[in-house]
Amino acid sequence: MATVDSRERSTAVAPQHDVPRGGVVDWLTTTDHKKIGILYLVSAVGFFVLSGLLSLVIRAELAAPGLQIVGHQEYNELFTMHGTGMVFFFVVPTAIGLGNYFVPLQIGAPDVAYPRLNAFTYWLYIAGGLITFSGFLTAGGAAAVGWTGYAPLSLNTFSPGAGVDLWIVGLLVSGVSGILGAVNFIATIFGMRVPGMTMFRIPIFCWNILVTSGLILFTFPVLSAAFAMLYIDRQIGGFFFDPGAGGDPILWQHLFWFFGHPEVYIMILPFFGVVTEIIPVFSRKPVFGYSGFVFATLLIGGYSLSVWAHHMFTTGAVNNPFFAATSMIIAVPTGVKFFNWIATMWRGRISLQTPMLFSVGFLFMFLIGGITGVFLASPPIDYHVHDTYYVVAHFHYVLFGGSVFAIFAAFYYWIPKISGRLMNEGLGKLHFWLLIIGFNMTFFPMHVLGLNGMNRRISDYSAASGWQPLNILATAGAGILAAAVTVFLINFFVSMKKGEPAGDDPWGGYSLEWATTSPPPPHNFHRIPPVHSERPVFDDRGGRPRAGADGKPGGRRSG
Amino acid sequence: MSTKQRPILAAACVAATLSACVPEPADVQGESVERLYNFFFIVAAVVFVLVAGLITWSLVRYRAKPGDELPKQFDRNLKLELTWFAIPLATVVVLFVLSAQVLGEVNAESTNPSVTVGVEGFQWGWRFIYEGSGVVVIGDATERPEIVLPVGQPLTFNLESADVVHSFWVPRFLIKRDMVPGQQNSLSLTISEAGVYRGVCTEFCGLLHSKMNFVLRAVSPSQFEGWLDEQRTIDGNG
Amino acid sequence: MVEELRFFLRIAVYLVVIGTIYWFVSYEVAGTVLLLFGAVGTGFFVVAARVSFQPKVPEDLVPRPPRTGLRRMAGVLGRYFAFDGEHDMGGEPAAAPLALEEEGFPESSIWPLAAALAALLLGLGLVFGPWLWIPGLALGASSTWGWLTQLTA
């Protein structure tokens, strides 16, 4: 095959400065997108564990009526910081970490467009996380206003103390991080693709990162503005949200949710992308309906800007039919994705190794979460289930069942590339089953609890309510989830020490990251295969599946 | 793996069908909501069984075996893709139209309510003011208020907040409405079944949000009048 | 129009349309402003960035016969809004406009970390007082200077 387009990576790379390789200083001053990606992923998992521990205390408290473990105030801090930690400091940074590591590789670039800016966004994220969580160290405790921070509750009158101020400032700082990161991704994807890689040959993962970055660009500034206004109200005598002085609490909700709803798509779109990478490879087929995926992603991104007030149906202050219509329509492109995923698997040759196992789990769990979302989009139904555990169930199905399952899929798929070592399949399967069983035990009962009247964000409930049995089930499930995550962490550390070498392409992948070593060299590629389709590595193999030494299609060892 | 997944799916379906219903509505408007919810549930169940079934089928039928060759590499089919765009679109249009209809019924304000109750939420209790009769019922986190209302007559609740955003919800009514400071919301409904119902605040409002509950007793109109008279003599009301 | 710009143009048009519909169904100011300002900002970007994204027309592009009526309208719409790779007039990056020179990447830099530390101090200072944000400002100024003047390669 002619290699007219292949670009030999010459040695004309920037001369190496005298920096220590791999030491602390190297990691603190790196501008290499791969190292920054690793930093993001490790930090994000750290926040996952931290926020997860908070949720374990929540579940322990809710297992029985009466306050056994924490008081009301502490409980309110727990669910606030659990939500904040997970949304802002775990899910989105994981997406950014994966994007950081793999977008340049997948488009054949040597790095992102703005490497120092890239490093800056990481350290800003850490600064933001430290500021936000430092509320726990203050006398008044951390913010206790819910991750949504509704006014007037979040104003000074009702939430005095530094906790909320630190929460605001920390999120402002990490918001800037997100915006700059989005700029970087867009510039990279638009400007640094290797010749031959048109926009319609980039992997779907890159498309999803692109649309996610667009959403971040549109909505993080709105959140930052809202936070600035809240800060002004709290500290400088403003009254944007204080009805007593002529302000409007509903304005906060508009601003917050204009950000907040696209935020949940920011939290899922990159992981749709991950799953769209994994399913074709493990089905031995090309992605079905590439254009359809692009179309659907663009539609979801665009529509998500016009659905926000479905979170406000019960306020009596918004046009319910408008938002019901837009919110229901957004289910359609998501459905297209589902059918395209199924069509990708259809008549393929599916091997259920851990990346695919988690992707399939994602499909089932997100299906449920997506369906309950359509219920919530109907105002009369929402009038019943809004602000109940039904909503808690819904968003955990899409965020945990969706994003987190896909995150683990991404980890099993890509950690071999990042580290050069395969993760243990047996432990991976154990992790999967513990996770899916624990997850459903924890969150499925919450649908029932919500329908039957259990409202959200309550530190306690009465014995007479009859809610205890399902709450005990949920708490038991949470324990199993903790075990699942522990198994994953053990697998990770053991595999890093003793895992089998992965080789360049353990899975028989299609996109350019599989054309280089595991881990890649500093400048990413020694040789980039020519790009004539959206599956350059597959084409480079002559359109053959990679057969492993064990003869299994999709084989785990490279030749 | 596939044979292990089937029982899990089956159990999930059974669980969902058995338990994920709305409580029996105690108001007229709630009955429309219940019908809507049940319709949605049927559609959801069909969608779930269809999609989950297709996924499961692919996993079973197209599992790779050692020595397999590369399968046919098809990657597009315009007709299929348009179909699975159009059918979900038509489905959500139907769901939307039905929702809009029920929304109109639920939000219809009584032109001539028999009883109008001003409901004021505050951190962390309730003040219920029976307009026209001067009866006021107040309760808080330490002592839950209990209000009495007549069955079968149109009622209007005028909802206000004294401080932060609260929300008024009697789960058996299947309808909630927020109480936003600086804004008056109203909720009209007709109770259809006598009984004792719990009510909660369902918008996080601070420290004792979990304790901001109330009890609503629905009785016959004559019993309600009796209760009202009783209340008027207590505490110098009216 | 290259796909990179079409990406933003579609969003701008959608926001104008939905923002207008939203205004007339709700007369709600905040949401309308957010949607329409989003459209304005995006539209501005598309106009301003056209210069950087001139497509390169490959020599072997077969000229199409002129079309009339609906087909012509569809063609024009497709040129500006379609997401079909076959009509992508220039997404092929032969000389990608934003590509950096190979020697352009600084291998390492202390300035991102220093600037983030400045942000940390500034942020905490907003809550706890000038004894934090004044040093934060100083560190911020010096790391900005250091960043801008760091020689690459």
Side-chain angles (χ1 to χ4, degrees):
Chain A
M1 192 175 286
T3 55
V4 153
D5 291 344
S6 81
R7 190 154 83 180
E8 289 292 330
R9 270 285 160 223
S10 68
T11 50
V13 176
Q16 310 284 309
H17 294 167
D18 280 333
V19 285
R21 297 258 123 232
V24 173
V25 176
D26 182 34
W27 285 92
L28 291 178
T29 61
T30 184
T31 59
D32 178 350
H33 72 101
K34 299 186 289 299
K35 289 216 174 75
I36 293 170
I38 292 172
L39 286 170
Y40 262 108
L41 292 175
V42 170
S43 308
V45 171
F47 276 103
F48 175 61
V49 170
L50 172 62
S51 306
L53 288 171
L54 299 181
S55 72
L56 289 179
V57 181
I58 292 174
R59 284 303 341 151
E61 178 56 61
L62 287 178
L67 293 173
Q68 294 85 21
I69 303 177
V70 292
H72 294 294
Q73 176 65 17
E74 290 78 43
Y75 183 90
N76 296 343
E77 291 174 32
L78 284 174
F79 72 71
T80 301
M81 298 310 290
H82 164 75
T84 301
M86 287 297 193
V87 168
F88 290 103
F89 298 107
F90 161 55
V91 178
V92 177
T94 302
I96 296 179
L98 291 174
N100 241 313
Y101 201 104
F102 287 101
V103 166
L105 284 170
Q106 289 191 333
I107 62 174
D111 205 312
V112 291
Y114 306 110
R116 283 178 302 176
L117 194 69
N118 202 14
F120 182 51
T121 64
Y122 170 73
W123 293 111
L124 265 188
Y125 148 60
I126 295 298
L130 288 173
I131 296 174
T132 307
F133 275 86
S134 68
F136 277 119
L137 301 173
T138 63
V145 292
W147 86 281
T148 50
Y150 275 15
L153 181 64
S154 50
L155 296 177
N156 241 332
T157 335
F158 303 104
S159 296
V164 175
D165 296 298
L166 288 168
W167 180 78
I168 292 172
V169 171
L171 290 175
L172 274 170
V173 170
S174 68
V176 173
S177 165
I179 295 169
L180 296 174
V183 167
N184 220 341
F185 279 125
I186 296 177
T188 305
I189 293 171
F190 280 173
M192 298 186 63
R193 285 164 285 130
V194 77
M197 188 167 282
T198 63
M199 281 301 293
F200 289 95
R201 289 177 186 162
I202 66 176
I204 295 292
F205 176 69
C206 293
W207 268 111
N208 284 47
I209 293 285
L210 180 65
V211 175
T212 302
S213 302
L215 283 178
I216 292 176
L217 264 191
F218 277 94
T219 61
F220 271 46
V222 176
L223 181 70
S224 303
F227 278 138
M229 292 157 76
L230 187 61
Y231 181 82
I232 289 171
D233 271 15
R234 286 177 62 84
Q235 299 296 345
I236 314 182
F239 43 87
F240 290 108
F241 308 119
D242 180 357
D248 185 2
I250 298 291
L251 178 63
W252 168 265
Q253 295 189 30
H254 277 296
L255 293 175
F256 182 84
W257 287 116
F258 189 85
F259 151 80
H261 193 84
E263 168 70 1
V264 314
Y265 289 97
I266 291 168
M267 288 196 281
I268 194 66
L269 281 178
F271 305 109
F272 281 168
V274 164
V275 163
T276 316
E277 295 292 300
I278 292 175
I279 290 182
V281 169
F282 287 81
S283 307
R284 297 268 134 250
K285 282 186 54 233
V287 73
F288 183 93
Y290 180 98
S291 298
F293 271 109
V294 175
F295 175 53
T297 307
L298 293 170
L299 274 184
I300 291 173
Y303 279 154
S304 72
L305 292 169
S306 53
V307 302
W308 76 90
H310 64 231
H311 300 268
M312 297 163 65
F313 278 153
T314 57
T315 59
V318 299
N319 182 303
N320 285 358
F322 175 89
F323 289 104
T326 53
S327 306
M328 287 198 198
I329 288 182
I330 207 169
V332 177
T334 314
V336 167
K337 288 194 181 225
F338 258 90
F339 290 115
N340 281 9
W341 283 321
I342 294 174
T344 304
M345 288 162 47
W346 200 260
R347 302 227 174 105
R349 299 285 179 268
I350 301 173
S351 34
L352 272 178
Q353 286 141 305
T354 42
M356 185 62 173
L357 195 55
F358 278 90
S359 301
V360 170
F362 160 91
L363 288 176
F364 283 110
M365 298 300 103
F366 190 85
L367 178 62
I368 296 175
I371 287 176
T372 55
V374 178
F375 280 78
L376 288 164
S378 167
I381 296 179
D382 187 67
Y383 282 177
H384 180 59
V385 291
H386 173 65
D387 257 326
T388 68
Y389 265 81
Y390 188 91
V391 178
V392 178
H394 160 73
F395 67 69
H396 280 96
Y397 264 84
V398 287
L399 279 177
F400 194 122
S403 303
V404 174
F405 269 74
I407 287 173
F408 283 125
F411 283 170
Y412 284 98
Y413 185 56
W414 273 330
I415 283 180
K417 172 57 58 178
I418 297 176
S419 66
R421 293 189 181 277
L422 290 169
M423 304 264 287
N424 182 285
E425 274 288 310
L427 283 178
K429 292 193 158 86
L430 176 62
H431 170 206
F432 173 78
W433 288 107
L434 286 174
L435 198 75
I436 199 162
I437 290 171
F439 170 74
N440 283 291
M441 263 178 77
T442 310
F443 294 107
F444 196 85
M446 293 185 184
H447 292 109
V448 180
L449 284 169
L451 285 165
N452 283 316
M454 185 169 179
N455 43 343
R456 268 183 87 170
R457 294 171 163 168
I458 52 174
S459 41
D460 190 22
Y461 55 89
S462 67
S465 63
W467 296 332
Q468 185 177 14
L470 288 178
N471 268 289
I472 291 181
L473 188 60
T475 300
I480 297 178
L481 283 176
V485 175
T486 309
V487 167
F488 168 75
L489 292 172
I490 292 175
N491 190 357
F492 176 76
F493 285 113
V494 167
S495 303
M496 290 308 101
K497 281 220 145 53
K498 302 197 241 166
E500 295 170 39
D504 289 4
D505 184 11
W507 309 118
Y510 298 157
S511 39
L512 286 180
E513 76 268 30
W514 306 108
T516 184
T517 58
S518 304
H523 46 277
N524 286 350
F525 294 93
H526 295 296
R527 170 193 168 263
I528 302 183
V531 176
H532 295 304
S533 76
E534 83 269 8
R535 296 198 289 172
V537 168
F538 177 83
D539 295 336
D540 199 48
R541 287 200 292 265
R544 282 190 301 278
R546 172 161 237 96
D550 52 5
K552 275 193 185 158
R556 288 171 35 188
R557 293 176 182 72
S558 61
Chain B
M1 212 75 66
S2 51
T3 44
K4 278 190 226 168
Q5 279 168 339
R6 275 208 211 103
I8 293 179
L9 264 178
C13 292
V14 171
T17 322
L18 284 183
S19 54
C21 302
V22 290
E24 200 193 311
D27 64 327
V28 171
Q29 288 80 0
E31 284 156 28
S32 314
V33 176
E34 184 189 34
R35 279 194 297 272
L36 183 70
Y37 177 87
N38 290 341
F39 182 78
F40 265 67
F41 191 85
I42 293 171
V43 173
V46 167
V47 170
F48 179 80
V49 166
L50 173 71
V51 178
L54 286 170
I55 299 171
T56 311
W57 174 254
S58 327
L59 291 173
V60 170
R61 175 76 180 79
Y62 302 115
R63 211 42 201 287
K65 292 178 277 289
D68 264 348
E69 287 174 359
L70 197 65
K72 181 149 172 271
Q73 304 281 289
F74 62 92
D75 68 351
R76 68 191 70 188
N77 183 324
L78 189 61
K79 270 196 220 142
L80 260 185
E81 293 180 64
L82 284 176
T83 310
W84 62 57
F85 183 81
I87 294 186
L89 184 61
T91 311
V92 296
V93 168
V94 169
L95 293 177
F96 170 73
V97 168
L98 292 172
S99 299
Q101 231 168 10
V102 174
L103 184 63
E105 290 169 34
V106 163
N107 276 346
E109 304 208 348
S110 307
T111 43
N112 197 11
S114 306
V115 185
T116 302
V117 184
V119 183
E120 190 182 75
F122 56 90
Q123 285 182 322
W124 288 281
W126 305 85
R127 188 176 295 116
F128 297 95
I129 304 160
Y130 286 78
E131 286 174 26
S133 69
V135 173
V136 178
V137 177
I138 306 179
D140 62 18
T142 47
E143 200 183 311
R144 257 178 349 176
E146 183 181 290
I147 55 169
V148 177
L149 284 168
V151 173
Q153 295 183 342
L155 311 168
T156 294
F157 297 92
N158 289 323
L159 305 168
E160 288 180 352
S161 165
D163 40 40
V164 299
V165 182
H166 299 275
S167 190
F168 172 85
W169 188 38
V170 176
R172 287 290 301 275
F173 289 171
L174 303 188
I175 303 172
K176 65 172 63 76
R177 190 63 40 95
D178 288 354
M179 302 155 75
V180 182
Q183 181 179 309
Q184 196 190 69
N185 283 339
S186 77
L187 182 57
S188 297
L189 47 87
T190 304
I191 306 178
S192 56
E193 192 183 312
V196 180
Y197 307 115
R198 49 198 314 277
V200 295
C201 167
T202 188
E203 180 64 58
F204 178 64
C205 55
L207 189 72
L208 295 178
H209 166 67
S210 59
K211 301 287 176 215
M212 190 172 152
N213 306 325
F214 63 93
V215 173
L216 189 155
R217 239 181 347 119
V219 298
S220 70
S222 51
Q223 283 173 308
F224 170 68
E225 289 301 331
W227 176 84
L228 214 51
D229 289 330
E230 218 179 84
Q231 291 298 311
R232 270 192 271 252
T233 59
I234 295 174
D235 292 335
N237 272 332
Chain C
M1 180 182 277
V2 296
E3 173 56 32
E4 290 90 328
L5 286 182
R6 278 187 277 170
F7 176 80
F8 285 107
L9 183 61
R10 287 177 215 127
I11 299 175
V13 170
Y14 176 69
L15 288 176
V16 166
V17 170
I18 204 74
T20 310
I21 295 175
Y22 180 65
W23 172 250
F24 286 109
V25 303
S26 72
Y27 295 108
E28 195 275 304
V29 174
T32 309
V33 167
L34 288 167
L35 292 169
L36 293 182
F37 267 56
V40 167
T42 317
F44 174 74
F45 169 75
V46 171
V47 169
R50 281 192 83 169
V51 164
S52 316
F53 284 96
Q54 287 308 317
K56 171 191 79 107
V57 179
E59 280 98 60
D60 55 353
L61 185 66
V62 175
R64 281 193 283 252
R67 292 186 279 184
T68 55
L70 266 178
R71 280 181 177 269
R72 187 187 165 126
M73 260 170 49
V76 169
L77 280 176
R79 206 164 53 239
Y80 287 101
F81 297 104
F83 27 71
D84 175 2
E86 285 146 31
H87 300 299
D88 183 9
M89 263 173 56
E92 165 103 26
L98 299 178
L100 293 182
E101 295 152 12
E102 283 201 33
E103 303 87 36
F105 297 112
E107 285 291 312
S108 72
S109 173
I110 190 70
W111 300 118
L113 178 62
L117 193 53
L120 178 66
L121 293 171
L122 273 169
L124 290 172
L126 269 178
V127 180
F128 294 119
W131 62 278
L132 280 170
W133 62 255
I134 292 179
L137 216 48
L139 182 57
S142 69
S143 30
T144 309
W145 180 252
W147 188 321
L148 291 172
T149 58
Q150 177 172 23
L151 298 168
T152 54

